[in-house]
Amino acid sequence: MSTLLTQLRALFDVTLAALVLGAAVPMLFALGVRWWSGAEVTGPDGTVRRNPVALAGACLCLLIVLTVVVAGVLFVAKGFLSDRLGIHLFGES
């Protein structure tokens, strides 16, 4: 019974990670692009005004996505970085 519970817990962890990385990160990217498009609005008289809240939200979303992508690449390359360059990331010894 203990093995079954351990396996179910591991399955839940993997499913949660897949949902976060497979759905949340693309959603954040789409939200950032949407807010970026609304950062500058053209008025009826042709003047362009800037929406700082939309621009800040877009930059925050895109910064989070960039951070996740860089962390993912470093996680995949942690063995190479440890063996060849002596850089130890994510607990690699």
Side-chain angles (χ1 to χ4, degrees):
M1 187 67 177
S2 174
T3 305
L4 177 64
L5 292 177
T6 304
Q7 295 296 324
L8 287 176
R9 176 66 185 172
L11 179 64
F12 174 75
D13 291 344
V14 169
T15 304
L16 183 65
L19 284 174
V20 168
L21 297 176
V25 174
M27 182 197 66
L28 273 176
F29 180 75
L31 188 62
V33 170
R34 173 66 178 101
W35 279 350
W36 191 278
S37 70
E40 291 184 353
V41 179
T42 305
D45 57 351
T47 60
V48 177
R49 61 181 178 86
R50 189 174 296 257
N51 185 353
V53 176
L55 186 60
C59 289
L60 180 65
C61 286
L62 296 176
L63 182 65
I64 291 170
V65 170
L66 180 66
T67 303
V68 168
V69 168
V70 169
V73 169
L74 289 175
F75 184 78
V76 168
K78 71 180 178 180
F80 173 80
L81 292 173
S82 176
D83 291 341
R84 304 292 175 147
L85 303 176
I87 299 171
H88 303 287
L89 298 173
F90 304 105
E92 180 73 25
S93 58

